[in-house]
Coordinates of all heavy atoms in Angstrom, one line a residue:
G1 N -7.1 -31.5 -4.6 CA -5.8 -31.3 -5.2 C -5.4 -29.8 -5.0 O -4.3 -29.5 -4.7
L2 N -6.3 -28.9 -5.3 CA -6.0 -27.5 -5.2 C -5.7 -27.1 -3.7 O -4.7 -26.3 -3.5 CB -7.2 -26.6 -5.7 CG -7.4 -26.7 -7.2 CD1 -8.8 -26.0 -7.6 CD2 -6.3 -26.0 -8.0
I3 N -6.4 -27.6 -2.8 CA -6.2 -27.2 -1.4 C -4.9 -27.9 -0.9 O -4.1 -27.3 -0.2 CB -7.3 -27.7 -0.5 CG1 -8.6 -26.8 -0.7 CG2 -6.9 -27.6 1.0 CD1 -8.4 -25.4 -0.3
H4 N -4.6 -29.1 -1.4 CA -3.4 -29.8 -1.0 C -2.1 -29.1 -1.5 O -1.1 -29.2 -1.0 CB -3.4 -31.3 -1.4 CG -4.1 -32.2 -0.5 ND1 -4.3 -33.5 -0.7 CD2 -4.8 -31.9 0.7 CE1 -5.0 -34.1 0.3 NE2 -5.3 -33.1 1.1
S5 N -2.3 -28.4 -2.6 CA -1.2 -27.7 -3.2 C -1.0 -26.3 -2.8 O 0.0 -25.9 -2.2 CB -1.2 -27.8 -4.8 OG -2.4 -27.2 -5.2
D6 N -2.1 -25.5 -2.9 CA -2.0 -24.0 -2.6 C -3.0 -23.6 -1.6 O -3.4 -22.4 -1.6 CB -2.2 -23.2 -3.9 CG -0.9 -23.0 -4.7 OD1 0.1 -23.3 -4.1 OD2 -1.0 -22.6 -5.8
G7 N -3.4 -24.5 -0.7 CA -4.4 -24.1 0.3 C -4.1 -24.7 1.6 O -3.1 -25.4 1.8
Y8 N -5.0 -24.3 2.6 CA -4.8 -24.9 3.9 C -6.1 -24.8 4.7 O -7.0 -24.1 4.3 CB -3.7 -24.3 4.7 CG -4.1 -23.0 5.5 CD1 -4.2 -23.1 6.9 CD2 -4.4 -21.8 4.9 CE1 -4.6 -22.0 7.6 CE2 -4.8 -20.7 5.6 CZ -4.9 -20.8 7.0 OH -5.2 -19.7 7.7
R9 N -6.2 -25.6 5.7 CA -7.4 -25.6 6.6 C -6.8 -25.2 8.0 O -5.9 -25.8 8.5 CB -8.1 -26.9 6.8 CG -9.3 -26.9 7.7 CD -9.7 -28.4 7.9 NE -11.0 -28.5 8.7 CZ -11.1 -28.3 10.0 NH1 -10.0 -28.1 10.7 NH2 -12.2 -28.5 10.6
G10 N -7.3 -24.1 8.6 CA -6.8 -23.6 9.8 C -7.8 -22.9 10.6 O -9.0 -22.8 10.3
A11 N -7.4 -22.4 11.8 CA -8.3 -21.7 12.7 C -8.2 -20.2 12.5 O -7.1 -19.7 12.4 CB -8.0 -22.1 14.1
N12 N -9.3 -19.5 12.4 CA -9.4 -18.1 12.3 C -9.8 -17.5 13.6 O -10.9 -17.9 14.1 CB -10.3 -17.6 11.2 CG -10.2 -16.1 11.0 OD1 -9.2 -15.5 11.0 ND2 -11.4 -15.5 10.9
K13 N -9.0 -16.6 14.3 CA -9.4 -16.1 15.6 C -9.9 -14.7 15.4 O -9.2 -13.9 14.8 CB -8.1 -16.2 16.5 CG -7.6 -17.6 16.7 CD -6.4 -17.6 17.6 CE -5.9 -19.1 17.9 NZ -4.7 -19.1 18.8
V14 N -11.0 -14.4 16.1 CA -11.6 -13.0 16.0 C -12.0 -12.6 17.4 O -12.1 -13.5 18.3 CB -12.8 -13.0 15.1 CG1 -12.4 -13.3 13.7 CG2 -13.9 -14.0 15.6
K15 N -12.1 -11.3 17.6 CA -12.6 -10.8 18.9 C -13.9 -10.1 18.7 O -14.0 -9.2 17.8 CB -11.5 -9.8 19.5 CG -10.4 -10.5 20.3 CD -9.6 -9.5 21.1 CE -8.7 -10.2 22.0 NZ -7.9 -9.3 22.9
V16 N -14.8 -10.4 19.5 CA -16.2 -9.7 19.4 C -16.5 -9.3 20.8 O -16.6 -10.1 21.8 CB -17.2 -10.7 18.9 CG1 -18.6 -10.0 18.9 CG2 -16.9 -11.2 17.5
R17 N -16.6 -7.9 21.0 CA -16.9 -7.3 22.3 C -16.0 -7.8 23.4 O -16.4 -8.2 24.5 CB -18.4 -7.6 22.7 CG -19.4 -7.0 21.7 CD -20.8 -7.3 22.0 NE -21.7 -6.8 21.1 CZ -23.0 -7.0 21.1 NH1 -23.6 -7.7 22.0 NH2 -23.8 -6.4 20.2
G18 N -14.7 -7.9 23.1 CA -13.7 -8.3 24.0 C -13.5 -9.8 24.2 O -12.6 -10.2 25.0
K19 N -14.4 -10.6 23.6 CA -14.2 -12.0 23.8 C -13.6 -12.6 22.5 O -13.9 -12.2 21.4 CB -15.6 -12.7 24.0 CG -16.2 -12.3 25.3 CD -17.5 -13.1 25.5 CE -18.1 -12.8 26.9 NZ -19.4 -13.5 27.1
S20 N -12.7 -13.6 22.7 CA -12.0 -14.2 21.6 C -12.8 -15.5 21.1 O -13.2 -16.3 22.0 CB -10.6 -14.6 22.0 OG -9.8 -13.5 22.3
Y21 N -12.9 -15.6 19.8 CA -13.5 -16.8 19.2 C -12.6 -17.3 18.1 O -11.9 -16.6 17.5 CB -14.9 -16.4 18.6 CG -15.9 -15.9 19.6 CD1 -16.0 -14.5 19.9 CD2 -16.8 -16.7 20.3 CE1 -16.9 -14.0 20.8 CE2 -17.7 -16.3 21.2 CZ -17.8 -14.9 21.4 OH -18.7 -14.4 22.3
A22 N -12.7 -18.6 17.9 CA -11.9 -19.3 16.9 C -12.9 -20.2 16.1 O -13.7 -20.9 16.6 CB -10.8 -20.1 17.4
Y23 N -12.7 -20.2 14.7 CA -13.5 -21.1 13.9 C -12.6 -21.5 12.7 O -11.7 -20.9 12.3 CB -14.8 -20.4 13.4 CG -14.5 -19.2 12.5 CD1 -14.4 -19.3 11.1 CD2 -14.4 -17.9 13.0 CE1 -14.2 -18.2 10.3 CE2 -14.2 -16.8 12.2 CZ -14.1 -17.0 10.8 OH -13.8 -15.9 10.0
S24 N -13.0 -22.7 12.2 CA -12.2 -23.3 11.2 C -12.6 -22.7 9.8 O -13.7 -22.3 9.6 CB -12.4 -24.8 11.1 OG -12.0 -25.4 12.3
R25 N -11.6 -22.6 8.9 CA -11.9 -22.2 7.6 C -10.8 -22.7 6.6 O -9.7 -23.1 7.0 CB -11.9 -20.6 7.5 CG -10.6 -19.9 7.6 CD -10.7 -18.4 7.4 NE -9.5 -17.8 7.7 CZ -9.4 -16.4 7.7 NH1 -10.4 -15.7 7.6 NH2 -8.2 -15.9 8.0
Y26 N -11.2 -22.8 5.4 CA -10.2 -23.1 4.3 C -9.8 -21.9 3.6 O -10.6 -20.9 3.4 CB -10.9 -24.1 3.3 CG -11.0 -25.5 3.8 CD1 -12.1 -25.9 4.5 CD2 -10.0 -26.5 3.5 CE1 -12.2 -27.2 5.0 CE2 -10.1 -27.8 4.0 CZ -11.2 -28.1 4.7 OH -11.3 -29.4 5.1
Q27 N -8.6 -21.8 3.1 CA -8.1 -20.7 2.2 C -7.4 -21.3 1.0 O -6.7 -22.3 1.2 CB -7.2 -19.8 3.0 CG -7.9 -19.0 4.1 CD -6.9 -18.0 4.8 OE1 -7.1 -17.8 6.0 NE2 -6.0 -17.5 4.0
F28 N -7.6 -20.7 -0.1 CA -6.8 -21.0 -1.3 C -6.2 -19.8 -1.8 O -6.9 -18.8 -2.1 CB -7.8 -21.6 -2.3 CG -7.1 -21.9 -3.7 CD1 -6.2 -23.0 -3.8 CD2 -7.3 -21.1 -4.8 CE1 -5.6 -23.3 -5.0 CE2 -6.7 -21.4 -6.0 CZ -5.8 -22.5 -6.1
C29 N -4.9 -19.8 -2.1 CA -4.1 -18.6 -2.5 C -3.3 -19.0 -3.8 O -2.6 -20.0 -3.8 CB -3.2 -18.2 -1.4 SG -2.3 -16.6 -1.8
N30 N -3.5 -18.2 -4.8 CA -2.8 -18.4 -6.1 C -2.7 -17.1 -6.8 O -3.6 -16.3 -6.8 CB -3.6 -19.5 -6.9 CG -2.7 -20.0 -8.1 OD1 -2.5 -19.3 -9.0 ND2 -2.2 -21.2 -7.9
Y31 N -1.5 -16.9 -7.5 CA -1.3 -15.7 -8.2 C -2.2 -15.6 -9.5 O -2.5 -14.5 -10.0 CB 0.2 -15.6 -8.6 CG 1.1 -15.1 -7.5 CD1 1.8 -16.1 -6.7 CD2 1.2 -13.8 -7.2 CE1 2.6 -15.7 -5.7 CE2 2.1 -13.4 -6.1 CZ 2.7 -14.3 -5.4 OH 3.6 -13.9 -4.4
S32 N -2.6 -16.7 -10.0 CA -3.3 -16.7 -11.3 C -4.8 -16.5 -11.0 O -5.5 -17.2 -10.3 CB -3.1 -18.1 -12.0 OG -4.1 -18.2 -13.1
A33 N -5.4 -15.4 -11.7 CA -6.8 -15.2 -11.6 C -7.6 -16.3 -12.2 O -8.7 -16.6 -11.7 CB -7.1 -13.8 -12.2
D34 N -7.0 -16.9 -13.3 CA -7.8 -18.0 -13.9 C -7.9 -19.2 -13.0 O -8.9 -19.9 -13.0 CB -7.0 -18.4 -15.2 CG -7.1 -17.3 -16.3 OD1 -8.1 -16.5 -16.2 OD2 -6.3 -17.3 -17.2
I35 N -6.8 -19.5 -12.3 CA -6.8 -20.7 -11.4 C -7.7 -20.4 -10.2 O -8.4 -21.3 -9.8 CB -5.4 -21.1 -11.0 CG1 -4.6 -21.6 -12.2 CG2 -5.4 -22.2 -9.9 CD1 -3.1 -21.9 -12.0
R36 N -7.7 -19.2 -9.7 CA -8.6 -18.9 -8.7 C -10.0 -19.0 -9.1 O -10.9 -19.5 -8.4 CB -8.4 -17.4 -8.2 CG -7.0 -17.2 -7.4 CD -7.0 -15.9 -6.7 NE -7.3 -14.8 -7.5 CZ -6.3 -14.1 -8.1 NH1 -5.1 -14.5 -8.1 NH2 -6.7 -13.0 -8.9
G37 N -10.3 -18.6 -10.4 CA -11.6 -18.8 -11.0 C -12.0 -20.2 -11.1 O -13.2 -20.6 -10.8
I38 N -11.1 -21.1 -11.4 CA -11.4 -22.6 -11.5 C -11.7 -23.1 -10.1 O -12.6 -23.9 -9.9 CB -10.2 -23.3 -12.1 CG1 -10.0 -23.0 -13.6 CG2 -10.3 -24.8 -11.9 CD1 -8.8 -23.5 -14.2
F39 N -11.0 -22.6 -9.1 CA -11.3 -23.0 -7.7 C -12.7 -22.6 -7.3 O -13.5 -23.4 -6.7 CB -10.3 -22.4 -6.7 CG -10.6 -22.7 -5.3 CD1 -10.2 -23.9 -4.7 CD2 -11.2 -21.8 -4.5 CE1 -10.5 -24.2 -3.4 CE2 -11.5 -22.0 -3.1 CZ -11.1 -23.2 -2.6
C40 N -13.1 -21.3 -7.6 CA -14.4 -20.8 -7.3 C -15.5 -21.6 -8.1 O -16.6 -21.9 -7.5 CB -14.5 -19.3 -7.6 SG -13.4 -18.3 -6.5

């Protein structure tokens, strides 16, 4: 429920020694420190 409301699953792209890599990650973003604490 938290991810469906204030989160997402996407690809994070990074460069290491000139080579590009992509990996999946989840992010949850909320203004409330208490709600972020509940997510953690």
Side-chain angles (χ1 to χ4, degrees):
L2 289 170
I3 291 294
H4 276 182
S5 57
D6 273 349
Y8 88 106
R9 181 192 188 279
N12 185 44
K13 298 179 180 180
V14 296
K15 274 192 174 183
V16 179
R17 297 177 182 177
K19 292 185 178 181
S20 297
Y21 297 89
Y23 63 91
S24 298
R25 72 177 175 188
Y26 284 88
Q27 289 182 216
F28 176 75
C29 183
N30 194 285
Y31 282 97
S32 168
D34 291 336
I35 294 175
R36 293 195 303 272
I38 291 171
F39 176 82
C40 294

